[in-house]
């Protein structure tokens, strides 16, 4: 199985900041990488697929990049509603494994 | 509007069984792969099992093989997860999710609200 490792596991930031999360795959997955946002007590929501394609309706302050084994999710000008947990997932091969998540907290 | 509504969760003793159901509406159910994803308390997401559109193929994470069975009834727009020989580590919220395909890539585009399974004596 492909292992997905996210770093950091948690991050504190302030409204207006720029933050970057990392997701690393244990083998190359081309750009078969999705990002999800999850708020407490809620199901996750898709933000980005194919590493860098924003789902319609997702604010442009979110962006994704990467290919192969290393991927990043960047949020610029953090808004209060962005404080949540972010999960990456590879869709390259079954099982479509997730990372352990990065929790973004308010500083 | 796409809706996925899970049911069947609850408290069960180790070694017991549960059957989860997911009622789908608002889309052509038979056109999509479907997946069960779980999340243990305070933990990350774990892909559990998926099933092809016509039910002809199923895949499982190693930890549930030979204990869980995923199935579907396209006539009733329903997805199921039969869980046997349950263990403490199966305690989690179980989500029914739609596996969508666009521009050559797969992703989860809709999630149910989840149903909690607690395995405890």
């Amino acid at each position: 199985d492909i292992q997905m490792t996210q770093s950091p596991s948690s991050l504190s930031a302030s409204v207006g900041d720029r933050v970057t999360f990392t997701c690393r795959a244990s083998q190359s997955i081309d750009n078969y990488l999705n990002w999800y946002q999850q708020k407490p007590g809620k199901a996750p929501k898709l933000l980005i697929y194919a590493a860098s394609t924003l789902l319609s309706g997702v604010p442009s302050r979110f962006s994704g990049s990467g290919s192969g084994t290393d991927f990043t999710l960047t949020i610029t000008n953090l808004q209060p509603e962005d404080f949540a947990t972010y999960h990456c997932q590879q869709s390259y091969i079954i099982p479509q494994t997730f990372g352990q998540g990065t929790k973004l907290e308010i500083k | 509007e796409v809706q996925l509504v899970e049911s069947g969760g609850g408290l069960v003793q180790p070694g017991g069984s549960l059957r989860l159901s997911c009622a789908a509406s608002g889309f052509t159910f038979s056109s999509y792969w479907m997946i069960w994803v779980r999340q243990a308390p305070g933990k990350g997401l774990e892909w559990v099992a998926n099933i092809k559109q016509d039910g002809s193929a199923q895949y499982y994470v190693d930890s549930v093989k030979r204990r869980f069975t995923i199935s579907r009834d396209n006539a009733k727009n329903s997805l199921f997860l039969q869980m046997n020989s349950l263990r403490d580590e199966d305690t989690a919220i179980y989500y029914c999710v739609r596996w969508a395909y666009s521009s050559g890539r797969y992703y989860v585009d809709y999630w149910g609200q989840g149903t909690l399974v607690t395995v405890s004596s």
Side-chain angles (χ1 to χ4, degrees), chain B residues 81-102:
Chain B
L81 186 67
Q82 178 66 43
M83 304 185 295
N84 299 329
S85 302
L86 282 160
R87 305 168 179 168
D88 291 352
E89 56 265 34
D90 296 318
T91 293
I93 296 172
Y94 285 73
Y95 293 102
C96 163
V97 306
R98 190 175 85 167
W99 193 232
Y101 180 82
S102 176

Side-chain angles (χ1 to χ4, degrees), chain A residues 30-80:
Chain A
D30 191 359
N31 70 341
Y32 289 74
L33 192 283
N34 306 321
W35 288 99
Y36 303 88
Q37 177 194 65
Q38 185 178 28
K39 296 184 178 179
K42 300 292 187 182
K45 292 184 177 180
L46 178 69
L47 295 175
I48 290 171
Y49 65 96
S52 60
T53 303
L54 256 64
L55 192 70
S56 176
V58 173
S60 59
R61 63 180 180 272
F62 290 89
S63 64
S65 65
S67 184
T69 61
D70 294 318
F71 302 86
T72 60
L73 171 66
T74 298
I75 313 173
T76 57
N77 188 23
L78 271 172
Q79 296 301 298

Side-chain angles (χ1 to χ4, degrees), chain A residues 82-95:
Chain A
D82 299 337
F83 292 93
T85 298
Y86 293 84
H87 305 272
C88 65
Q89 180 203 27
Q90 62 84 12
S91 60
Y92 184 72
I93 194 170
I94 293 171

Side-chain angles (χ1 to χ4, degrees), chain A residues 15-33:
Chain A
V15 173
D17 283 354
R18 177 182 185 271
V19 296
T20 297
F21 312 129
T22 296
C23 178
R24 176 165 290 170
S26 60
Q27 67 183 73
S28 177
I29 58 171
D30 191 359
N31 70 341
Y32 289 74
L33 192 283

